[in-house]
Short mmCIF file of all heavy atoms in Angstrom, two decimals:
data_model
loop_
_atom_site.label_atom_id
_atom_site.label_comp_id
_atom_site.label_asym_id
_atom_site.label_seq_id
_atom_site.Cartn_x
_atom_site.Cartn_y
_atom_site.Cartn_z
N SER A 200 2.84 -0.01 -3.20
CA SER A 200 2.20 0.46 -4.43
C SER A 200 0.70 0.20 -4.42
O SER A 200 -0.09 1.01 -4.91
CB SER A 200 2.85 -0.20 -5.65
OG SER A 200 2.75 -1.62 -5.55
N ALA A 201 0.29 -0.94 -3.85
CA ALA A 201 -1.13 -1.27 -3.78
C ALA A 201 -1.86 -0.31 -2.85
O ALA A 201 -2.99 0.12 -3.14
CB ALA A 201 -1.32 -2.71 -3.31
N LEU A 202 -1.24 0.04 -1.72
CA LEU A 202 -1.86 0.98 -0.79
C LEU A 202 -1.99 2.37 -1.42
O LEU A 202 -3.01 3.04 -1.25
CB LEU A 202 -1.03 1.07 0.49
CG LEU A 202 -1.03 -0.19 1.36
CD1 LEU A 202 -0.04 -0.05 2.51
CD2 LEU A 202 -2.43 -0.48 1.90
N ILE A 203 -0.98 2.78 -2.17
CA ILE A 203 -1.04 4.09 -2.83
C ILE A 203 -2.12 4.10 -3.90
O ILE A 203 -2.89 5.05 -4.03
CB ILE A 203 0.34 4.45 -3.39
CG1 ILE A 203 1.29 4.80 -2.25
CG2 ILE A 203 0.24 5.60 -4.39
CD1 ILE A 203 2.71 5.05 -2.67
N ASP A 204 -2.19 3.03 -4.71
CA ASP A 204 -3.23 2.95 -5.73
C ASP A 204 -4.63 2.97 -5.11
O ASP A 204 -5.57 3.50 -5.69
CB ASP A 204 -3.06 1.66 -6.55
CG ASP A 204 -1.87 1.73 -7.49
OD1 ASP A 204 -1.37 2.85 -7.74
OD2 ASP A 204 -1.42 0.67 -7.94
N MET A 205 -4.75 2.41 -3.92
CA MET A 205 -6.04 2.31 -3.26
C MET A 205 -6.46 3.64 -2.62
O MET A 205 -7.63 4.03 -2.68
CB MET A 205 -5.99 1.22 -2.18
CG MET A 205 -7.29 0.97 -1.44
SD MET A 205 -7.18 -0.48 -0.36
CE MET A 205 -6.11 0.12 0.94
N LEU A 206 -5.50 4.36 -2.04
CA LEU A 206 -5.84 5.53 -1.23
C LEU A 206 -5.42 6.87 -1.83
O LEU A 206 -6.03 7.90 -1.52
CB LEU A 206 -5.22 5.39 0.16
CG LEU A 206 -5.77 4.22 0.99
CD1 LEU A 206 -4.96 4.05 2.26
CD2 LEU A 206 -7.23 4.46 1.33
N TRP A 207 -4.38 6.88 -2.64
CA TRP A 207 -3.91 8.14 -3.22
C TRP A 207 -3.69 8.00 -4.73
O TRP A 207 -2.61 8.33 -5.25
CB TRP A 207 -2.60 8.57 -2.56
CG TRP A 207 -2.75 8.86 -1.09
CD1 TRP A 207 -3.25 9.99 -0.53
CD2 TRP A 207 -2.36 8.00 -0.01
NE1 TRP A 207 -3.21 9.89 0.85
CE2 TRP A 207 -2.68 8.68 1.20
CE3 TRP A 207 -1.79 6.73 0.05
CZ2 TRP A 207 -2.44 8.12 2.45
CZ3 TRP A 207 -1.56 6.17 1.30
CH2 TRP A 207 -1.88 6.86 2.48
N PRO A 208 -4.66 7.52 -5.47
CA PRO A 208 -4.44 7.28 -6.91
C PRO A 208 -4.18 8.56 -7.70
O PRO A 208 -3.57 8.51 -8.77
CB PRO A 208 -5.75 6.62 -7.35
CG PRO A 208 -6.77 7.09 -6.37
CD PRO A 208 -6.05 7.21 -5.06
N GLU A 209 -4.63 9.70 -7.17
CA GLU A 209 -4.48 10.96 -7.91
C GLU A 209 -3.18 11.68 -7.60
O GLU A 209 -2.87 12.70 -8.22
CB GLU A 209 -5.67 11.89 -7.59
CG GLU A 209 -5.65 12.54 -6.22
CD GLU A 209 -6.04 11.60 -5.07
OE1 GLU A 209 -6.29 10.40 -5.33
OE2 GLU A 209 -6.09 12.08 -3.92
N PHE A 210 -2.40 11.17 -6.64
CA PHE A 210 -1.17 11.84 -6.22
C PHE A 210 0.02 11.40 -7.07
O PHE A 210 0.10 10.25 -7.49
CB PHE A 210 -0.86 11.51 -4.76
CG PHE A 210 -1.61 12.35 -3.76
CD1 PHE A 210 -2.94 12.68 -3.96
CD2 PHE A 210 -0.99 12.80 -2.61
CE1 PHE A 210 -3.64 13.43 -3.05
CE2 PHE A 210 -1.67 13.55 -1.68
CZ PHE A 210 -3.00 13.88 -1.90
N ASP A 211 0.95 12.33 -7.28
CA ASP A 211 2.26 11.94 -7.82
C ASP A 211 2.99 11.11 -6.77
O ASP A 211 2.79 11.28 -5.57
CB ASP A 211 3.08 13.19 -8.15
CG ASP A 211 2.47 13.99 -9.28
OD1 ASP A 211 1.76 13.40 -10.10
OD2 ASP A 211 2.69 15.23 -9.30
N MET A 212 3.86 10.22 -7.23
CA MET A 212 4.54 9.32 -6.32
C MET A 212 5.36 10.06 -5.27
O MET A 212 5.43 9.64 -4.11
CB MET A 212 5.44 8.35 -7.09
CG MET A 212 4.67 7.26 -7.80
SD MET A 212 3.71 6.26 -6.63
CE MET A 212 2.82 5.20 -7.77
N ASP A 213 5.98 11.19 -5.65
CA ASP A 213 6.82 11.90 -4.68
C ASP A 213 6.00 12.52 -3.56
O ASP A 213 6.53 12.84 -2.49
CB ASP A 213 7.65 12.98 -5.38
CG ASP A 213 6.78 14.02 -6.08
OD1 ASP A 213 5.60 13.73 -6.35
OD2 ASP A 213 7.29 15.12 -6.35
N LYS A 214 4.69 12.66 -3.77
CA LYS A 214 3.81 13.16 -2.72
C LYS A 214 3.04 12.02 -2.05
O LYS A 214 2.69 12.12 -0.86
CB LYS A 214 2.82 14.17 -3.29
CG LYS A 214 3.47 15.46 -3.77
CD LYS A 214 2.44 16.45 -4.25
CE LYS A 214 3.11 17.76 -4.68
NZ LYS A 214 2.10 18.74 -5.17
N ALA A 215 2.78 10.96 -2.80
CA ALA A 215 1.99 9.85 -2.24
C ALA A 215 2.78 9.07 -1.19
O ALA A 215 2.23 8.71 -0.14
CB ALA A 215 1.55 8.91 -3.37
N TYR A 216 4.05 8.83 -1.45
CA TYR A 216 4.84 8.04 -0.49
C TYR A 216 4.96 8.72 0.87
O TYR A 216 4.82 8.06 1.91
CB TYR A 216 6.21 7.71 -1.07
CG TYR A 216 6.18 6.45 -1.91
CD1 TYR A 216 6.14 6.51 -3.30
CD2 TYR A 216 6.17 5.19 -1.31
CE1 TYR A 216 6.08 5.35 -4.07
CE2 TYR A 216 6.12 4.03 -2.06
CZ TYR A 216 6.07 4.12 -3.45
OH TYR A 216 6.01 2.97 -4.19
N PRO A 217 5.22 10.04 0.94
CA PRO A 217 5.21 10.67 2.27
C PRO A 217 3.87 10.52 2.99
O PRO A 217 3.83 10.36 4.21
CB PRO A 217 5.52 12.15 1.95
CG PRO A 217 6.30 12.09 0.69
CD PRO A 217 5.70 10.97 -0.10
N GLN A 218 2.77 10.57 2.25
CA GLN A 218 1.46 10.37 2.87
C GLN A 218 1.36 8.97 3.47
O GLN A 218 0.86 8.78 4.58
CB GLN A 218 0.35 10.58 1.83
CG GLN A 218 0.24 11.98 1.26
CD GLN A 218 -0.41 12.95 2.24
OE1 GLN A 218 -0.96 12.54 3.25
NE2 GLN A 218 -0.33 14.24 1.92
N LEU A 219 1.84 7.99 2.72
CA LEU A 219 1.80 6.61 3.21
C LEU A 219 2.68 6.45 4.44
O LEU A 219 2.26 5.85 5.45
CB LEU A 219 2.26 5.66 2.10
CG LEU A 219 2.41 4.18 2.50
CD1 LEU A 219 1.09 3.61 3.00
CD2 LEU A 219 2.95 3.37 1.33
N TYR A 220 3.90 6.98 4.40
CA TYR A 220 4.82 6.84 5.53
C TYR A 220 4.25 7.53 6.77
O TYR A 220 4.41 7.05 7.90
CB TYR A 220 6.19 7.42 5.19
CG TYR A 220 6.88 6.74 4.04
CD1 TYR A 220 7.72 7.43 3.18
CD2 TYR A 220 6.68 5.37 3.80
CE1 TYR A 220 8.37 6.79 2.12
CE2 TYR A 220 7.31 4.74 2.75
CZ TYR A 220 8.14 5.45 1.91
OH TYR A 220 8.76 4.81 0.86
N THR A 221 3.61 8.68 6.56
CA THR A 221 2.99 9.37 7.69
C THR A 221 1.88 8.54 8.31
O THR A 221 1.76 8.44 9.53
CB THR A 221 2.41 10.73 7.21
OG1 THR A 221 3.46 11.53 6.70
CG2 THR A 221 1.73 11.46 8.36
N ALA A 222 1.06 7.91 7.47
CA ALA A 222 -0.03 7.06 7.98
C ALA A 222 0.53 5.88 8.77
O ALA A 222 0.02 5.55 9.85
CB ALA A 222 -0.89 6.57 6.82
N ILE A 223 1.58 5.24 8.26
CA ILE A 223 2.20 4.12 8.97
C ILE A 223 2.76 4.59 10.31
O ILE A 223 2.65 3.89 11.34
CB ILE A 223 3.30 3.47 8.12
CG1 ILE A 223 2.70 2.86 6.84
CG2 ILE A 223 4.06 2.43 8.91
CD1 ILE A 223 1.76 1.70 7.09
N TYR A 224 3.36 5.76 10.31
CA TYR A 224 3.88 6.36 11.55
C TYR A 224 2.78 6.44 12.59
O TYR A 224 2.96 6.04 13.76
CB TYR A 224 4.45 7.74 11.23
CG TYR A 224 4.86 8.57 12.43
CD1 TYR A 224 6.15 8.50 12.92
CD2 TYR A 224 3.96 9.43 13.04
CE1 TYR A 224 6.54 9.27 14.01
CE2 TYR A 224 4.33 10.21 14.13
CZ TYR A 224 5.62 10.13 14.60
OH TYR A 224 5.99 10.89 15.68
N HIS A 225 1.62 6.94 12.21
CA HIS A 225 0.52 7.10 13.17
C HIS A 225 -0.10 5.76 13.56
O HIS A 225 -0.59 5.61 14.67
CB HIS A 225 -0.52 8.06 12.61
CG HIS A 225 -0.07 9.48 12.63
ND1 HIS A 225 0.26 10.13 13.79
CD2 HIS A 225 0.13 10.38 11.64
CE1 HIS A 225 0.64 11.36 13.52
NE2 HIS A 225 0.58 11.53 12.22
N ILE A 226 -0.10 4.82 12.65
CA ILE A 226 -0.59 3.48 13.02
C ILE A 226 0.29 2.90 14.13
O ILE A 226 -0.22 2.37 15.12
CB ILE A 226 -0.60 2.55 11.79
CG1 ILE A 226 -1.69 3.00 10.80
CG2 ILE A 226 -0.86 1.10 12.21
CD1 ILE A 226 -1.63 2.29 9.46
N ARG A 227 1.58 3.01 13.96
CA ARG A 227 2.49 2.49 14.99
C ARG A 227 2.26 3.21 16.32
O ARG A 227 2.29 2.58 17.39
CB ARG A 227 3.94 2.65 14.53
CG ARG A 227 4.36 1.67 13.45
CD ARG A 227 5.88 1.63 13.32
NE ARG A 227 6.32 0.52 12.48
CZ ARG A 227 6.73 0.65 11.24
NH1 ARG A 227 6.76 1.85 10.67
NH2 ARG A 227 7.12 -0.40 10.54
N LYS A 228 2.05 4.51 16.27
CA LYS A 228 1.81 5.26 17.50
C LYS A 228 0.51 4.82 18.17
O LYS A 228 0.44 4.69 19.40
CB LYS A 228 1.77 6.76 17.20
CG LYS A 228 3.11 7.38 16.87
CD LYS A 228 4.06 7.30 18.06
CE LYS A 228 5.38 7.96 17.76
NZ LYS A 228 6.34 7.83 18.89
N THR A 229 -0.51 4.58 17.37
CA THR A 229 -1.80 4.16 17.92
C THR A 229 -1.70 2.79 18.58
O THR A 229 -2.38 2.51 19.57
CB THR A 229 -2.86 4.12 16.80
OG1 THR A 229 -3.02 5.44 16.26
CG2 THR A 229 -4.21 3.64 17.33
N LEU A 230 -0.85 1.93 18.05
CA LEU A 230 -0.73 0.57 18.55
C LEU A 230 0.27 0.43 19.70
O LEU A 230 0.41 -0.67 20.26
CB LEU A 230 -0.31 -0.37 17.41
CG LEU A 230 -1.29 -0.48 16.23
CD1 LEU A 230 -0.69 -1.35 15.14
CD2 LEU A 230 -2.64 -1.02 16.67
N GLU A 231 0.93 1.50 20.07
CA GLU A 231 1.94 1.43 21.12
C GLU A 231 1.44 0.80 22.42
O GLU A 231 2.15 0.00 23.04
CB GLU A 231 2.50 2.83 21.41
CG GLU A 231 3.62 3.24 20.47
CD GLU A 231 4.23 4.58 20.86
OE1 GLU A 231 3.81 5.13 21.91
OE2 GLU A 231 5.09 5.07 20.13
N PRO A 232 0.23 1.14 22.90
CA PRO A 232 -0.21 0.56 24.18
C PRO A 232 -0.31 -0.96 24.18
O PRO A 232 -0.37 -1.57 25.24
CB PRO A 232 -1.59 1.20 24.40
CG PRO A 232 -1.57 2.46 23.60
CD PRO A 232 -0.75 2.12 22.39
N TYR A 233 -0.33 -1.56 22.99
CA TYR A 233 -0.50 -3.01 22.92
C TYR A 233 0.83 -3.75 22.79
O TYR A 233 0.86 -4.93 22.47
CB TYR A 233 -1.44 -3.35 21.76
CG TYR A 233 -2.80 -2.75 21.99
CD1 TYR A 233 -3.13 -1.51 21.47
CD2 TYR A 233 -3.74 -3.41 22.78
CE1 TYR A 233 -4.37 -0.93 21.72
CE2 TYR A 233 -4.98 -2.86 23.03
CZ TYR A 233 -5.29 -1.61 22.50
OH TYR A 233 -6.51 -1.05 22.76
N ASP A 234 1.92 -3.01 23.04
CA ASP A 234 3.25 -3.61 23.10
C ASP A 234 3.56 -4.33 21.78
O ASP A 234 3.43 -3.76 20.71
CB ASP A 234 3.33 -4.55 24.30
CG ASP A 234 4.77 -4.87 24.70
OD1 ASP A 234 5.64 -4.03 24.46
OD2 ASP A 234 5.00 -5.96 25.23
N THR A 235 3.95 -5.60 21.84
CA THR A 235 4.36 -6.32 20.63
C THR A 235 3.24 -7.15 20.02
O THR A 235 3.51 -7.97 19.14
CB THR A 235 5.54 -7.25 20.95
OG1 THR A 235 5.14 -8.19 21.97
CG2 THR A 235 6.74 -6.46 21.44
N ARG A 236 2.01 -6.95 20.46
CA ARG A 236 0.91 -7.77 19.93
C ARG A 236 0.62 -7.46 18.47
O ARG A 236 0.10 -8.30 17.75
CB ARG A 236 -0.33 -7.58 20.79
CG ARG A 236 -0.21 -8.31 22.13
CD ARG A 236 -1.26 -7.86 23.13
NE ARG A 236 -1.12 -8.61 24.37
CZ ARG A 236 -0.22 -8.35 25.32
NH1 ARG A 236 0.63 -7.34 25.13
NH2 ARG A 236 -0.15 -9.08 26.41
N PHE A 237 0.92 -6.24 18.05
CA PHE A 237 0.79 -5.86 16.63
C PHE A 237 2.16 -5.42 16.14
O PHE A 237 2.70 -4.42 16.62
CB PHE A 237 -0.21 -4.72 16.46
CG PHE A 237 -1.60 -5.04 16.96
CD1 PHE A 237 -1.99 -4.68 18.24
CD2 PHE A 237 -2.51 -5.70 16.14
CE1 PHE A 237 -3.26 -4.98 18.70
CE2 PHE A 237 -3.78 -6.00 16.61
CZ PHE A 237 -4.16 -5.63 17.90
N GLN A 238 2.71 -6.15 15.21
CA GLN A 238 4.05 -5.86 14.72
C GLN A 238 4.00 -5.58 13.21
O GLN A 238 3.60 -6.44 12.43
CB GLN A 238 4.99 -7.04 14.99
CG GLN A 238 5.10 -7.40 16.47
CD GLN A 238 5.90 -8.67 16.69
OE1 GLN A 238 6.80 -8.99 15.93
NE2 GLN A 238 5.55 -9.42 17.72
N ILE A 239 4.41 -4.38 12.83
CA ILE A 239 4.45 -4.00 11.42
C ILE A 239 5.90 -4.03 10.97
O ILE A 239 6.73 -3.26 11.45
CB ILE A 239 3.85 -2.60 11.19
CG1 ILE A 239 2.40 -2.55 11.66
CG2 ILE A 239 3.96 -2.22 9.72
CD1 ILE A 239 1.78 -1.18 11.57
N THR A 240 6.19 -4.93 10.06
CA THR A 240 7.55 -5.06 9.52
C THR A 240 7.61 -4.36 8.17
O THR A 240 6.77 -4.60 7.31
CB THR A 240 7.93 -6.55 9.36
OG1 THR A 240 7.81 -7.19 10.64
CG2 THR A 240 9.35 -6.68 8.85
N ASN A 241 8.62 -3.53 8.02
CA ASN A 241 8.81 -2.79 6.78
C ASN A 241 9.79 -3.52 5.87
O ASN A 241 10.86 -3.93 6.31
CB ASN A 241 9.33 -1.39 7.10
CG ASN A 241 9.59 -0.57 5.86
OD1 ASN A 241 8.87 -0.68 4.88
ND2 ASN A 241 10.63 0.25 5.91
N THR A 242 9.41 -3.71 4.61
CA THR A 242 10.32 -4.25 3.61
C THR A 242 10.44 -3.24 2.47
O THR A 242 9.73 -2.24 2.44
CB THR A 242 9.82 -5.59 3.05
OG1 THR A 242 8.67 -5.36 2.21
CG2 THR A 242 9.43 -6.55 4.17
N THR A 243 11.31 -3.51 1.54
CA THR A 243 11.46 -2.61 0.40
C THR A 243 10.16 -2.48 -0.38
O THR A 243 9.77 -1.39 -0.81
CB THR A 243 12.58 -3.12 -0.54
OG1 THR A 243 13.79 -3.23 0.19
CG2 THR A 243 12.77 -2.15 -1.71
N GLU A 244 9.45 -3.59 -0.54
CA GLU A 244 8.23 -3.60 -1.33
C GLU A 244 6.99 -3.19 -0.56
O GLU A 244 6.02 -2.68 -1.14
CB GLU A 244 8.01 -5.01 -1.91
CG GLU A 244 9.09 -5.46 -2.88
CD GLU A 244 9.12 -4.60 -4.13
OE1 GLU A 244 8.02 -4.21 -4.59
OE2 GLU A 244 10.21 -4.34 -4.64
N GLY A 245 6.96 -3.43 0.75
CA GLY A 245 5.74 -3.13 1.48
C GLY A 245 5.84 -3.44 2.96
O GLY A 245 6.92 -3.32 3.56
N TYR A 246 4.70 -3.86 3.53
CA TYR A 246 4.61 -4.09 4.96
C TYR A 246 3.98 -5.45 5.24
O TYR A 246 3.16 -5.93 4.47
CB TYR A 246 3.75 -3.02 5.63
CG TYR A 246 4.21 -1.61 5.36
CD1 TYR A 246 3.62 -0.86 4.33
CD2 TYR A 246 5.22 -1.02 6.11
CE1 TYR A 246 4.03 0.43 4.07
CE2 TYR A 246 5.64 0.27 5.85
CZ TYR A 246 5.04 0.99 4.83
OH TYR A 246 5.46 2.26 4.57
N VAL A 247 4.36 -6.00 6.40
CA VAL A 247 3.72 -7.23 6.88
C VAL A 247 3.26 -6.97 8.30
O VAL A 247 4.06 -6.56 9.16
CB VAL A 247 4.69 -8.43 6.85
CG1 VAL A 247 3.99 -9.67 7.40
CG2 VAL A 247 5.20 -8.68 5.44
N LEU A 248 1.97 -7.17 8.55
CA LEU A 248 1.43 -7.05 9.90
C LEU A 248 1.29 -8.43 10.50
O LEU A 248 0.58 -9.28 9.95
CB LEU A 248 0.06 -6.35 9.88
CG LEU A 248 -0.69 -6.35 11.22
CD1 LEU A 248 0.05 -5.52 12.25
CD2 LEU A 248 -2.12 -5.83 11.04
N ASN A 249 1.97 -8.67 11.59
CA ASN A 249 1.83 -9.92 12.34
C ASN A 249 1.21 -9.61 13.69
O ASN A 249 1.50 -8.57 14.30
CB ASN A 249 3.19 -10.59 12.54
CG ASN A 249 3.74 -11.16 11.25
OD1 ASN A 249 3.13 -12.02 10.62
ND2 ASN A 249 4.91 -10.69 10.84
N ILE A 250 0.32 -10.50 14.13
CA ILE A 250 -0.31 -10.32 15.44
C ILE A 250 0.06 -11.49 16.33
O ILE A 250 0.23 -12.62 15.86
CB ILE A 250 -1.84 -10.17 15.32
CG1 ILE A 250 -2.47 -11.42 14.71
CG2 ILE A 250 -2.20 -8.94 14.50
CD1 ILE A 250 -3.99 -11.36 14.68
N GLU A 251 0.21 -11.20 17.61
CA GLU A 251 0.62 -12.21 18.59
C GLU A 251 -0.18 -11.99 19.87
O GLU A 251 -0.35 -10.85 20.33
CB GLU A 251 2.12 -12.07 18.87
CG GLU A 251 2.68 -13.08 19.84
CD GLU A 251 4.16 -12.90 20.06
OE1 GLU A 251 4.81 -12.24 19.22
OE2 GLU A 251 4.67 -13.40 21.07
N ASP A 252 -0.70 -13.08 20.43
CA ASP A 252 -1.53 -13.01 21.64
C ASP A 252 -2.76 -12.14 21.42
O ASP A 252 -3.20 -11.41 22.32
CB ASP A 252 -0.72 -12.48 22.83
CG ASP A 252 0.34 -13.47 23.29
OD1 ASP A 252 0.11 -14.69 23.16
OD2 ASP A 252 1.40 -13.04 23.77
N VAL A 253 -3.31 -12.20 20.21
CA VAL A 253 -4.56 -11.50 19.88
C VAL A 253 -5.52 -12.53 19.30
O VAL A 253 -5.19 -13.20 18.31
CB VAL A 253 -4.33 -10.37 18.86
CG1 VAL A 253 -5.66 -9.70 18.51
CG2 VAL A 253 -3.34 -9.34 19.40
N GLN A 254 -6.70 -12.67 19.90
CA GLN A 254 -7.71 -13.60 19.43
C GLN A 254 -8.76 -12.85 18.62
O GLN A 254 -9.53 -12.07 19.18
CB GLN A 254 -8.38 -14.33 20.60
CG GLN A 254 -9.49 -15.29 20.19
CD GLN A 254 -8.97 -16.45 19.35
OE1 GLN A 254 -8.22 -17.29 19.84
NE2 GLN A 254 -9.36 -16.48 18.09
N LEU A 255 -8.76 -13.04 17.31
CA LEU A 255 -9.75 -12.41 16.44
C LEU A 255 -11.04 -13.21 16.46
O LEU A 255 -11.02 -14.44 16.34
CB LEU A 255 -9.22 -12.32 15.01
CG LEU A 255 -8.05 -11.37 14.75
CD1 LEU A 255 -7.60 -11.49 13.31
CD2 LEU A 255 -8.45 -9.93 15.06
N ASP A 256 -12.17 -12.51 16.58
CA ASP A 256 -13.45 -13.21 16.62
C ASP A 256 -13.71 -13.97 15.32
O ASP A 256 -14.25 -15.09 15.35
CB ASP A 256 -14.60 -12.23 16.91
CG ASP A 256 -14.71 -11.10 15.89
OD1 ASP A 256 -13.78 -10.90 15.09
OD2 ASP A 256 -15.73 -10.38 15.92
N ILE A 257 -13.29 -13.42 14.19
CA ILE A 257 -13.56 -14.11 12.92
C ILE A 257 -12.77 -15.40 12.81
O ILE A 257 -13.25 -16.39 12.25
CB ILE A 257 -13.27 -13.19 11.70
CG1 ILE A 257 -11.83 -12.69 11.72
CG2 ILE A 257 -14.24 -12.03 11.65
CD1 ILE A 257 -11.41 -12.00 10.44
N GLU A 258 -11.54 -15.42 13.34
CA GLU A 258 -10.73 -16.64 13.30
C GLU A 258 -11.32 -17.71 14.22
O GLU A 258 -11.43 -18.88 13.85
CB GLU A 258 -9.29 -16.34 13.68
CG GLU A 258 -8.50 -15.61 12.62
CD GLU A 258 -7.03 -15.48 12.99
OE1 GLU A 258 -6.69 -15.66 14.18
OE2 GLU A 258 -6.23 -15.17 12.09
N GLU A 259 -11.68 -17.30 15.42
CA GLU A 259 -12.26 -18.25 16.37
C GLU A 259 -13.55 -18.84 15.81
O GLU A 259 -13.79 -20.05 15.88
CB GLU A 259 -12.53 -17.54 17.70
CG GLU A 259 -13.04 -18.44 18.80
CD GLU A 259 -13.30 -17.69 20.09
OE1 GLU A 259 -13.18 -16.44 20.09
OE2 GLU A 259 -13.64 -18.35 21.10
N TRP A 260 -14.37 -17.98 15.24
CA TRP A 260 -15.67 -18.39 14.70
C TRP A 260 -15.49 -19.33 13.50
O TRP A 260 -16.08 -20.41 13.44
CB TRP A 260 -16.45 -17.14 14.30
CG TRP A 260 -17.82 -17.39 13.78
CD1 TRP A 260 -18.97 -17.53 14.51
CD2 TRP A 260 -18.22 -17.50 12.41
NE1 TRP A 260 -20.04 -17.73 13.68
CE2 TRP A 260 -19.61 -17.70 12.39
CE3 TRP A 260 -17.53 -17.43 11.20
CZ2 TRP A 260 -20.32 -17.86 11.19
CZ3 TRP A 260 -18.23 -17.58 10.02
CH2 TRP A 260 -19.61 -17.79 10.02
N GLU A 261 -14.66 -18.91 12.55
CA GLU A 261 -14.47 -19.71 11.34
C GLU A 261 -13.79 -21.04 11.64
O GLU A 261 -14.16 -22.08 11.06
CB GLU A 261 -13.69 -18.94 10.29
CG GLU A 261 -13.52 -19.69 8.99
CD GLU A 261 -12.84 -18.88 7.90
OE1 GLU A 261 -12.39 -17.75 8.17
OE2 GLU A 261 -12.79 -19.40 6.75
N ASN A 262 -12.81 -21.04 12.52
CA ASN A 262 -12.12 -22.29 12.85
C ASN A 262 -13.07 -23.31 13.44
O ASN A 262 -12.97 -24.51 13.15
CB ASN A 262 -10.98 -22.00 13.83
CG ASN A 262 -9.81 -21.27 13.19
OD1 ASN A 262 -9.68 -21.25 11.97
ND2 ASN A 262 -8.97 -20.67 14.01
N TRP A 263 -14.01 -22.86 14.26
CA TRP A 263 -14.96 -23.80 14.86
C TRP A 263 -15.86 -24.44 13.80
O TRP A 263 -15.99 -25.66 13.72
CB TRP A 263 -15.80 -23.12 15.92
CG TRP A 263 -16.96 -23.99 16.36
CD1 TRP A 263 -18.26 -23.90 15.97
CD2 TRP A 263 -16.89 -25.13 17.23
NE1 TRP A 263 -19.02 -24.89 16.53
CE2 TRP A 263 -18.19 -25.67 17.33
CE3 TRP A 263 -15.87 -25.75 17.93
CZ2 TRP A 263 -18.50 -26.79 18.10
CZ3 TRP A 263 -16.15 -26.86 18.71
CH2 TRP A 263 -17.45 -27.38 18.78
N PHE A 264 -16.48 -23.61 12.97
CA PHE A 264 -17.45 -24.14 12.02
C PHE A 264 -16.78 -24.89 10.87
O PHE A 264 -17.38 -25.79 10.28
CB PHE A 264 -18.36 -23.03 11.50
CG PHE A 264 -19.36 -22.57 12.52
CD1 PHE A 264 -19.19 -21.38 13.19
CD2 PHE A 264 -20.45 -23.37 12.84
CE1 PHE A 264 -20.10 -20.96 14.16
CE2 PHE A 264 -21.36 -22.97 13.80
CZ PHE A 264 -21.18 -21.76 14.47
#
Side-chain angles (χ1 to χ4, degrees):
S200 58
L202 291 173
I203 288 175
D204 288 343
M205 182 172 71
L206 295 172
W207 296 282
E209 74 284 2
F210 278 40
D211 294 334
M212 285 300 175
D213 61 340
K214 293 183 178 180
Y216 274 100
Q218 296 284 349
L219 174 60
Y220 299 148
T221 300
I223 296 295
Y224 172 91
H225 286 300
I226 291 171
R227 286 195 169 104
K228 288 296 182 183
T229 299
L230 298 176
E231 276 185 3
Y233 298 94
D234 198 29
T235 60
R236 286 166 178 80
F237 301 95
Q238 302 173 30
I239 301 175
T240 302
N241 178 36
T242 72
T243 303
E244 296 295 323
Y246 305 96
V247 178
L248 172 66
N249 289 300
I250 61 175
E251 182 179 342
D252 291 329
V253 179
Q254 178 64 67
L255 292 175
D256 58 347
I257 57 170
E258 286 187 343
E259 184 180 6
W260 183 85
E261 183 175 6
N262 288 343
W263 169 260
F264 286 104

